[in-house]
Amino acid sequence: MSLFHRRSRVGWLTAGAVALGLLVSACGGAKQPQTPPAQQGGQQAAQQEQAKPAGPKTLVWGRGGDTVSLDPIQPTDGESFKVINQIYDTLVRYKAGKTEVEPALATDWQASPDAKEWTFSLRQGVKFHDGTEFDAEAVKFNFDRWRDTKNPYHKGGEFAYYSYMFGGFDDKSVIQDVQVVDKYKVKFTLKRPLAYFLQNLAMPMFSIASPTAIKADPEALGQKPVGTGAYKFVDWKKGESITLEANPDYWGGKPKIDRIIYRSIPDNNARLLALQSGDIDVMDGVEPNQLQVIQSDDRFQVALRPAMNVGYLAFNMDKKPFDNPLVRKAINHAIDKKAIVETLYAGLGQVAVTPLPPSMWGWTDDVTQYPYDPQKAKQLLAQAGFPNGFKTQLWAMPVPRPYMPQPEKIAQAIQGYLKEVGIEAEIVTYEWATYLEKTGMGEHTMALLGWVGDNGDPDNFLYVLLDKDNAKGPDAGNIAFYRNDQLHELLVQAQEIPDQSRRAELYVRAQKIIAEDAPWVVLAHAQEPIVMKKGIQGYVPNPTGSEPLYQITLP
């Protein structure tokens, strides 16, 4: 669906931040809530609370997009993992608010001296939601399903994350074998050391699902999930809501909330009104210009998720003219990233200089940078053979994400900057799952997207998003389809080195190569605000983008 005709271009006849300010003002005005929020909430919320029947304690979480799949290994989007984190468990998990690992379904583990063999002792007495027992056979069953394309249960999707994190399937898989040592002990054999192996196992994509459910119908797991987690799946009304109920037998202790309902409310202002009226208890995907209103309302509290993410504009280097580095560098110079971040991230964003967030070890700003310089952009376009610019498309995400809170407005801002240097970019978007599918197949020209780090390791950004191994559809992690053999050698070498300081040196070299080749315009790293009713306690946002909720309490 093209958004091109929904915008006036008049605002872009003036330059840079001034034009951006005018545009934001115009867009914001069209979507402002009908009633002043601070005045609206009190009576309505009180009425809503009074209208709620006494009964189970229910948390309603409002979000911008629906889940894509509930088979942990299949989706690549954060909206899916929010729910998956409640239904399933992993062998190890991240500590609250951190990316350090702690025991989960595995109680302890040992590695061989060469770090190629990992043996895990498993928690006993744990059952899947279908009543079957969790044991070493279940762990082996899940990993065999993921890594072996000939496995009869390797069905239901593309298993993209397994390839991202373990090098590929079959002979390419870093995991060579998974053996059952005894009922509660399992051993992984790796082809080569993997420095972040434990961190990978904590990722919700590698949650352990019921083998019985998978055997019954592997393709149905995405709609009817069966895990060992704190909450059981109840129902999914597509595009509307997902309902979960507490698992009273959860090994980590009985959940303090009886039900969780995830409601999909794509419009940011409608979601805010739902929060103010008491229809939802928690809201994410907050527009930065809404935050000041929310913070002035003493009925709510705001938690900020640490910025372990990156928002970017990827060029599809398999398509002309984006195979030309001069064009990519010209567009980098054409966009005023600082103005975009200052205006559209409302103080919660930081201008990016590399794909890695500055909080991550291995980050450097000693790379080629592209300051805002429209004249330089025009010169580079002329050198590339486009003295009068060209026409193209700019793909924009349909939902707010932590790294890009206002994708439509950011796309419009970029469209305006490109017009200043002669590039006519039609803005195109699709429904979220379709958008991910199409960009993963390389159907786009330029596309806005981003990434929330999964495990706290630089490899999870650089290898997943920019290595040639992941420049292939479907579900390409590298949607620039950028391929550099020197970069690939550095990234694979860094995967095998246990010493973090040596790895950091390689990642600095990698960032220099990426910056010089300019497969992206790196835009921003952002803190994500999560707004909750006052009185909700125990919520600790994790930098990975989602977290279990079973320990939080309602007022």
Side-chain angles (χ1 to χ4, degrees):
M1 177 181 66
S2 171
L3 298 178
F4 184 71
H5 299 296
R6 294 171 58 185
R7 285 285 318 150
S8 164
R9 300 183 189 178
V10 175
W12 293 105
L13 295 177
T14 53
V18 175
L20 180 59
L22 290 172
L23 177 61
V24 170
S25 176
C27 291
K31 290 188 173 181
Q32 287 301 309
Q34 297 296 313
T35 306
Q39 297 175 15
Q40 175 176 30
Q43 289 185 338
Q44 284 189 7
Q47 290 167 359
Q48 289 282 348
E49 289 299 323
Q50 290 171 4
K52 281 187 176 179
K57 292 183 177 180
T58 301
L59 177 78
V60 183
W61 187 298
R63 54 189 183 149
D66 199 4
T67 286
V68 173
S69 171
L70 290 172
D71 180 348
I73 199 63
Q74 303 298 3
T76 61
D77 67 300
E79 297 303 341
S80 296
F81 296 121
K82 282 177 189 169
V83 185
I84 285 169
N85 248 323
Q86 317 313 322
I87 298 172
Y88 296 93
D89 290 307
T90 44
L91 291 179
V92 293
R93 66 183 181 186
Y94 302 118
K95 294 180 180 179
K98 302 178 180 178
T99 55
E100 297 173 44
V101 300
E102 64 180 13
L105 288 176
T107 53
D108 60 67
W109 50 89
Q110 298 83 40
S112 64
D114 63 2
K116 290 185 177 180
E117 291 185 353
W118 292 77
T119 303
F120 293 84
S121 297
L122 305 180
R123 193 174 299 277
Q124 300 185 26
V126 177
K127 290 194 173 182
F128 291 102
H129 299 158
D130 58 9
T132 58
E133 190 174 5
F134 164 77
D135 57 15
E137 292 285 357
V139 176
K140 174 177 172 56
F141 181 90
N142 277 270
F143 277 88
D144 285 352
R145 176 194 180 220
W146 301 333
R147 68 189 179 87
D148 180 4
T149 59
K150 296 183 179 62
N151 185 289
Y153 305 107
H154 190 85
K155 298 177 181 176
E158 304 300 334
F159 300 78
Y161 252 107
Y162 187 87
S163 182
Y164 293 167
M165 305 311 300
F166 292 114
F169 305 108
D170 304 324
D171 291 343
K172 294 182 178 178
S173 169
V174 174
I175 298 177
Q176 179 174 304
D177 192 22
V178 182
Q179 295 175 284
V180 173
V181 178
D182 62 35
K183 187 172 179 60
Y184 295 109
K185 190 168 287 186
V186 64
K187 183 171 78 174
F188 289 73
T189 302
L190 310 185
K191 289 179 181 171
R192 55 182 172 86
L194 200 59
Y196 44 85
F197 180 60
L198 271 181
Q199 278 73 20
N200 277 5
L201 296 187
M203 293 164 58
M205 306 77 186
F206 305 117
S207 295
I208 306 300
S210 162
T212 302
I214 296 171
K215 289 175 183 175
D217 187 349
E219 297 184 78
L221 192 68
Q223 310 301 315
K224 297 179 180 178
V226 183
T228 59
Y231 287 89
K232 302 178 182 180
F233 175 77
V234 176
D235 69 10
W236 183 355
K237 295 181 176 64
K238 292 286 186 181
E240 297 181 13
S241 65
I242 293 176
T243 300
L244 311 177
E245 66 179 11
N247 173 9
D249 302 318
Y250 186 51
W251 60 266
K254 183 180 177 182
K256 296 174 180 175
I257 296 173
D258 300 315
R259 301 172 77 205
I260 299 175
I261 299 174
Y262 287 94
R263 282 190 58 195
S264 303
I265 308 175
D267 183 85
N268 292 345
N269 289 304
R271 199 161 58 258
L272 175 59
L273 288 172
L275 179 75
Q276 292 168 326
S277 66
D279 285 346
I280 61 176
D281 303 297
V282 182
M283 168 184 174
D284 60 24
V286 179
E287 280 196 11
N289 59 10
Q290 296 172 335
L291 197 56
Q292 189 174 6
V293 171
I294 292 168
Q295 289 174 323
S296 67
D297 191 329
D298 61 9
R299 294 173 301 154
F300 306 120
Q301 56 185 328
V302 179
L304 292 176
R305 190 183 300 284
M308 192 174 73
N309 57 53
V310 61
Y312 58 86
L313 172 67
F315 305 110
N316 186 340
M317 294 170 60
D318 279 349
K319 293 189 176 180
K320 293 184 180 300
F322 304 111
D323 58 337
N324 188 329
L326 294 175
V327 171
R328 302 194 299 270
K329 292 179 180 181
I331 293 177
N332 265 277
H333 279 297
I335 297 171
D336 190 346
K337 295 183 289 185
K338 185 168 182 284
I340 289 175
V341 170
E342 287 179 350
T343 311
L344 296 175
Y345 285 75
L348 297 178
Q350 180 176 356
V351 176
V353 294
T354 90
L356 289 184
S359 59
M360 183 163 285
W361 60 270
W363 175 84
T364 181
D365 60 357
D366 183 20
V367 299
T368 301
Q369 298 190 28
Y370 301 91
Y372 177 53
D373 188 341
Q375 292 307 314
K376 179 72 173 178
K378 290 178 181 177
Q379 291 173 10
L380 290 171
L381 285 173
Q383 289 178 36
F386 300 98
N388 300 314
F390 54 85
K391 292 184 178 180
T392 187
Q393 289 184 334
L394 168 60
W395 287 36
M397 299 145 44
V399 295
R401 306 300 306 139
Y403 43 79
M404 203 164 297
Q406 304 185 84
E408 181 181 351
K409 292 177 182 175
I410 290 171
Q412 290 163 349
I414 291 172
Q415 183 187 47
Y417 287 122
L418 295 182
K419 184 175 175 61
E420 291 180 16
V421 299
I423 299 174
E424 295 279 356
E426 178 190 13
I427 297 176
V428 175
T429 192
Y430 296 92
E431 178 272 329
W432 183 221
T434 304
Y435 187 86
L436 293 173
E437 181 182 351
K438 286 179 172 291
T439 52
M441 289 293 292
E443 296 182 20
H444 58 288
T445 46
M446 295 185 288
L448 288 171
L449 203 58
W451 185 256
V452 178
D454 295 302
N455 62 8
D457 195 283
D459 179 88
N460 183 251
F461 282 80
L462 301 182
Y463 177 77
V464 173
L465 304 179
L466 290 155
D467 189 84
K468 68 177 185 178
D469 282 351
N470 293 312
K472 56 190 175 188
D475 288 326
N478 176 357
I479 68 161
F481 296 89
Y482 165 50
R483 303 170 184 87
N484 183 307
D485 289 338
Q486 184 185 3
L487 175 70
H488 173 74
E489 290 175 8
L490 284 174
L491 295 179
V492 172
Q493 185 181 351
Q495 290 177 344
E496 301 179 9
I497 298 173
D499 183 80
Q500 185 170 305
S501 62
R502 288 184 57 203
R503 294 185 70 206
E505 293 172 5
L506 297 179
Y507 288 129
V508 168
R509 290 169 58 189
Q511 289 167 84
K512 291 177 183 289
I513 293 171
I514 294 165
E516 183 57 31
D517 288 344
W520 296 355
V521 178
V522 285
L523 292 171
H525 314 286
Q527 292 178 294
E528 180 195 21
I530 298 104
V531 182
M532 300 170 285
K533 283 183 178 175
K534 276 276 174 64
I536 292 178
Q537 297 182 345
Y539 176 69
V540 182
N542 193 282
T544 58
S546 62
E547 53 284 312
L549 302 179
Y550 73 100
Q551 290 185 322
I552 71 171
T553 60
L554 294 176

